[in-house]
Amino acid sequence: MPGTIKQIAEMAGVSRGTVDRVLNHRGKVDQDVARKVERIAQELGYLTKTQRKAAEKGEVIALAVRKRIGVVTQLAGASFMAEVMRGIQEASQKAALHGVEVIVRECAGVDGEAQVRQIRALEELGIDGLVIMPVDCETVRGCLNRLTQEKRVPVLTFNTDIVGVEKLAFVGMDNRRSGRAAAGLLAMLMGGRGRVLGIVGNFLNSAGMQRMEGFSAELRESFPDMELAGVQPSYDRTEEVEAILRQAAEAFPDLGGILLVSGGQAGIRKADSLWNGRRPRVVLYDATPKNAALLREGCADFLIDQDGYTQGYAAVSRMLDKLRWDQDPEKPELYTKIDIRTKYTCG
């Protein structure tokens, strides 16, 4: 059952009249007291009469905008972003109930200059916090440092991270650890020996590169009889994945495994014919419908999912906690689960 005004008042140590003024915006209340009341109301799931009526109709009634959260993404057209955006949208609805507007700006590719333009556009709108999937480059780094140091706007990174920037937190997969898991999976399939190839989307995408770092480190430390033949960028395009595989089949006819940390995963469908019916073992990322189909068709062996919904939802929610109640995350990193799937478990 949702909490009541009486319960909120008792927990906050204030009168019921004070709670009513805070939640229904009737008169002035000390800011610290208001934050405390709103935080307790959220924890108890309390809804005002207007909000209850809206919920019964399936509507979302937003309060007057007090704060704004800017969100900047990359790889907007990638299929894994559908779940990320679903999480962002649901968290945005929650934020609206607390007078916080979420403004999303999507970037099509891994483009630092495009991200800087979107950040500056959000600045002009007057954002109070920024949630970003950053491109790890100097232009973005400089822009974020100016935002945090000169404008005192908190920044939270999610899905991808960036070094040299003061951050509220990072929300996403422990990418190096997932890369180590991928090495273990391929080693199991290959008997701990043989040559493997890595394919990333873009060298400026920190998530993909960290996965490769973990992958290569685990090979060196635990599987000395496995050799990493190289790491190639596909720029998240199917035709590039196909081209890389064609070149690899000529150069390494004995290739035993492929780690695909990239978009354009459908390019792996050509692998079987390129290796004369004995394709290398394949581990890829993200439980999208298209990738699930690749597993079911036998084009790949394992899939590692990063729980994109939680990344989007938790990133915006953590910034909401900061802006409305000045509540910092308990930890600097909120890691989502590393979910390993096969064709038998990928619906």
Side-chain angles (χ1 to χ4, degrees):
M1 292 290 290
T4 64
I5 283 183
K6 181 180 178 182
Q7 289 174 316
I8 296 168
E10 290 173 351
M11 293 176 68
V14 298
S15 69
R16 281 180 282 183
T18 298
V19 173
D20 179 74
R21 287 196 298 277
V22 171
L23 299 181
N24 291 290
H25 311 286
R26 299 170 177 159
K28 293 184 179 180
V29 177
D30 178 81
Q31 190 174 29
D32 290 336
V33 172
R35 286 173 179 162
K36 186 175 183 180
V37 168
E38 288 179 330
R39 183 171 64 248
I40 293 170
Q42 182 189 38
E43 291 170 353
L44 295 179
Y46 177 83
L47 295 176
T48 65
K49 184 182 293 184
T50 300
Q51 291 167 347
R52 285 197 300 273
K53 288 181 178 179
E56 289 170 0
K57 296 178 182 178
E59 300 173 352
V60 176
I61 302 298
L63 303 178
V65 175
R66 298 179 180 179
K67 301 279 186 179
R68 287 189 174 91
I69 296 172
V71 178
V72 177
T73 68
Q74 55 175 280
L75 295 173
S79 53
F80 85 93
M81 282 299 297
E83 281 296 285
V84 175
M85 291 304 300
R86 186 168 71 87
I88 290 171
Q89 288 161 5
E90 291 197 12
S92 299
Q93 292 176 353
K94 180 179 75 171
L97 294 173
H98 297 281
V100 177
E101 180 184 12
V102 178
I103 307 170
V104 181
R105 294 289 183 266
E106 299 181 83
C107 295
V110 183
D111 185 336
E113 295 291 345
Q115 283 203 332
V116 168
R117 288 194 296 271
Q118 297 292 8
I119 294 168
R120 288 174 176 165
L122 288 169
E123 277 189 84
E124 292 180 4
L125 292 175
I127 57 170
D128 302 281
L130 178 67
V131 175
I132 184 171
M133 294 171 59
V135 176
D136 191 1
C137 65
E138 287 302 321
T139 52
V140 173
R141 192 171 3 264
C143 185
L144 294 180
N145 280 327
R146 180 182 56 79
L147 201 64
T148 59
Q149 295 168 11
E150 298 179 14
K151 303 291 186 178
R152 309 311 302 169
V153 172
V155 169
L156 183 148
T157 58
F158 76 113
N159 187 265
T160 63
D161 205 0
I162 187 168
V163 297
V165 174
E166 180 184 347
K167 300 181 290 285
L168 183 65
F170 166 74
V171 177
M173 178 184 277
D174 185 337
N175 289 300
R176 290 185 177 88
R177 187 179 174 203
S178 80
R180 286 180 177 272
L185 292 172
L186 281 178
M188 179 177 65
L189 293 169
M190 296 167 58
R193 62 180 61 251
R195 185 178 280 125
V196 295
L197 174 69
I199 302 176
V200 297
N202 192 301
F203 289 144
L204 292 177
N205 182 285
S206 66
M209 294 308 297
Q210 287 171 0
R211 291 168 191 171
M212 279 298 170
E213 288 170 11
F215 180 73
S216 59
E218 188 67 16
L219 291 182
R220 288 194 307 271
E221 296 167 17
S222 302
F223 307 106
D225 293 328
M226 294 180 68
E227 174 193 351
L228 181 59
V231 177
Q232 295 291 324
S234 73
Y235 305 102
D236 300 295
R237 294 197 292 265
T238 299
E239 61 272 19
E240 289 295 332
V241 172
E242 291 178 359
I244 291 169
L245 294 183
R246 282 196 299 272
Q247 294 169 6
E250 293 178 7
F252 309 112
D254 63 340
L255 189 71
I258 298 169
L259 176 60
L260 185 55
V261 186
S262 159
Q265 296 96 330
I268 205 72
R269 281 195 171 94
K270 299 290 181 72
D272 195 60
S273 61
L274 291 171
W275 275 272
N276 298 317
R278 292 185 292 180
R279 68 162 174 80
R281 297 296 192 172
V282 177
V283 174
L284 48 76
Y285 274 77
D286 298 315
T288 66
K290 291 181 180 179
N291 287 348
L294 292 174
L295 278 183
R296 290 193 296 269
E297 293 167 18
C299 299
D301 301 284
F302 283 107
L303 183 153
I304 300 177
D305 189 52
Q306 58 182 313
D307 194 1
Y309 169 84
T310 295
Q311 291 186 26
Y313 186 89
V316 173
S317 293
R318 292 305 184 278
M319 185 58 74
L320 173 64
D321 290 342
K322 177 63 176 178
L323 297 186
R324 294 298 289 120
W325 303 286
D326 197 26
Q327 181 178 332
D328 292 323
E330 293 182 3
K331 298 179 180 179
E333 293 93 15
L334 174 62
Y335 289 133
T336 54
K337 62 184 178 180
I338 299 173
D339 186 5
I340 299 172
R341 305 189 187 187
T342 70
K343 67 179 181 180
Y344 303 104
T345 62
C346 197

